[in-house]
Amino acid sequence: MNCNSPNKDRPVFALADANSFYASAEQVFRPELIGKPVVVLSNNDGCVIAQSKEAKALHEIYMCKPWFEIEEEAKRLGTVAFSSNYELYANMSTRFMDTLRTFSPRIEVYSIDECFVDLTGFKRDLTAYGQEMKQRVKQWTGLPICVGIAHSKTLAKLANHCAKKQPVFNGVCDFTSMSKADLDYLFEQLPLDTIWHVGHRLTPKLEKLGIHNVLQLKNTNPKYLRDQFSVLLERTVKELNGESWLKLEQMLPEAKQMMSSRSFGFRLHRLEDLEEAIASHAALACERMRSRGLYANGVFVFIQNSPHDKAEYYGPCASIGLPSTTNSTLKVTQAAKWLLRKIYKPGVYYLKGGVMLLELVDKPGQQSDLFGYSASETKTNALMNVLDKTNKKYGRGTIRTAAEGTEQNWVMRRALKSPNYTGDWKELRNVY
């Protein structure tokens, strides 16, 4: 790997994006499905939220449509459906990002299936390097990806779009190797909504100003657009002209809140069932908080019925400040259940609930109380450490609080869920 100092070279970013990530992750362990239409469903097997390219080719009849409405037609066309397998997708994402780290020491994980890779100073054929990146990710993870390379992050996103949509690039589009005339010709063919931070919201407003494609926006005076819209659009135009205004973010910003929320598998009306659900959300939020070394100052709880029910909508919420910061699942669960009892209303069939931890701080930001709430924090931290290590090794839920219940009949419906091939010893793929 031949690199020069980043200070002596123009910035170069590659955006690696997994194609149809959820559907592709399912196909990795079911190779017989490669080439067939595959869709992934939302929580409780509701709507289609992801499609393989073969499913997209069916005139995109599936996306965001309720599964029960299209199930019969989809099966007739040979479509295979899966419930969302978030554990599998998270593990596959981690493998994807770890593979990209072999190409550069500096990366920014932008989302579960997208990552910026800093290629500044690399003295080699970047198009070939992008192809190598694509091939290695495919070999090591089984995921198909496309790569866009450019002198700014906005251009890298646009290059990635071209790599996906235009077969001539064979999955890797390198703007840094193209002449200005070639780029201008390409940009003239691209609509405005392909630009990062522009999308469908700003497109109609820009078209009223006579700006109809990427080239026209690129050639518009940035200061004029700042006066008409915002500083963000001004920077977007500068990035389209090859100026790097969006830097690589290698560290995640410190979280101020931590939420766990999900629709129930069935409508709940008993307080006991709701308490189990809220306790489970509290435990999951605390686990995530502890993984980042943070402590909570407050707890927020909400429950709601479906806005589509015939009954009047009811969606109360409540919050409480804690006597001192804590990362204890036991203390947070106690506070969450107290809040739930305050807002619970009999006779309502609840569809969703959640817990949010408020005003998170790291350890130096802790402040002890005068009344003994934090006196046992040392023992509590040790207990939580054992809890997290055990659940990480043997799977989440191996040890849980009694408040979460044993049956958990409220959990999200995932009737079509695939095995967790990469995260559970009991669900490993069998090879004969």
Side-chain angles (χ1 to χ4, degrees), residues 16 20 123 144 267 337 383:
S20 305
K123 302 302 182 183
R267 285 171 168 79
K337 289 176 65 177
L383 176 61

Side-chain angles (χ1 to χ4, degrees), residues 120-322:
T120 304
F122 283 49
K123 302 302 182 183
R124 58 173 300 166
D125 184 338
L126 294 182
T127 302
Y129 201 50
Q131 289 291 346
E132 185 180 338
M133 193 180 300
K134 174 186 165 189
Q135 292 163 10
R136 188 179 300 175
V137 170
K138 180 66 174 178
Q139 181 182 6
W140 288 13
T141 71
L143 295 171
I145 72 168
C146 286
V147 181
I149 303 171
H151 288 299
S152 71
K153 290 170 75 173
T154 300
L155 282 175
K157 286 277 284 187
L158 195 61
N160 185 275
H161 171 82
C162 294
K164 278 190 172 183
K165 299 297 183 181
Q166 301 188 27
V168 66
F169 293 112
N170 192 26
V172 176
C173 180
D174 178 14
F175 283 174
T176 67
S177 66
M178 299 172 66
S179 67
K180 182 179 182 302
D182 289 339
L183 282 175
D184 286 350
Y185 176 78
L186 180 61
F187 289 172
E188 193 172 18
Q189 318 305 316
L190 297 175
L192 292 171
D193 59 12
T194 58
I195 305 174
W196 197 24
H197 295 144
V198 174
H200 299 289
R201 184 176 60 86
L202 283 178
T203 295
K205 297 178 182 179
L206 290 168
E207 288 178 342
K208 288 182 180 179
L209 298 177
I211 303 171
H212 298 278
N213 58 53
V214 174
L215 180 61
Q216 290 175 333
L217 182 64
K218 173 178 176 286
N219 292 334
T220 304
N221 188 318
K223 292 184 178 179
Y224 169 75
L225 291 173
R226 180 186 63 189
D227 295 338
Q228 295 294 317
F229 297 97
S230 66
V231 173
L232 179 59
L233 188 57
E234 177 192 25
R235 290 180 178 177
T236 297
V237 173
K238 289 182 177 181
E239 288 237 330
L240 288 175
N241 283 277
E243 299 180 31
S244 179
W245 286 79
L246 301 173
K247 306 304 179 185
L248 199 73
E249 301 289 342
Q250 291 183 272
M251 299 293 292
L252 292 174
E254 184 177 296
K256 299 299 181 184
Q257 300 172 337
M258 194 71 65
M259 167 76 93
S260 176
S261 169
R262 194 161 288 169
S263 298
F264 307 137
F266 305 92
R267 285 171 168 79
L268 305 178
H269 68 281
R270 296 196 319 138
L271 177 60
E272 293 81 1
D273 293 331
L274 283 168
E275 284 182 332
E276 289 186 5
I278 291 301
S280 183
H281 284 307
L284 182 55
C286 286
E287 181 182 312
R288 292 171 178 169
M289 176 179 65
R290 289 193 296 269
S291 70
R292 303 182 73 166
L294 300 175
Y295 296 76
N297 274 292
V299 180
F300 171 92
V301 171
F302 79 92
I303 50 176
Q304 65 183 52
N305 64 347
S306 171
H308 306 293
D309 285 348
K310 294 181 180 179
E312 181 181 355
Y313 176 72
Y314 183 65
C317 60
S319 61
I320 185 173
L322 300 173

Side-chain angles (χ1 to χ4, degrees), residues 1-34:
M1 191 179 295
N2 184 17
C3 310
N4 289 335
S5 170
N7 298 324
K8 297 180 181 179
D9 300 277
R10 289 183 68 186
V12 178
F13 301 96
L15 177 67
D17 182 8
N19 303 337
S20 305
F21 177 64
Y22 286 4
S24 295
E26 298 289 356
Q27 289 175 318
V28 168
F29 297 95
R30 292 281 302 277
E32 72 273 15
L33 297 180
I34 295 175

Side-chain angles (χ1 to χ4, degrees), residues 85-89 91 417-429:
N85 189 341
Y86 300 113
E87 300 85 357
L88 173 65
Y89 307 150
N91 288 336
K417 177 181 172 294
S418 58
N420 184 9
Y421 301 106
T422 61
D424 191 328
W425 288 106
K426 298 177 182 178
E427 299 184 13
L428 286 175
R429 184 72 166 167

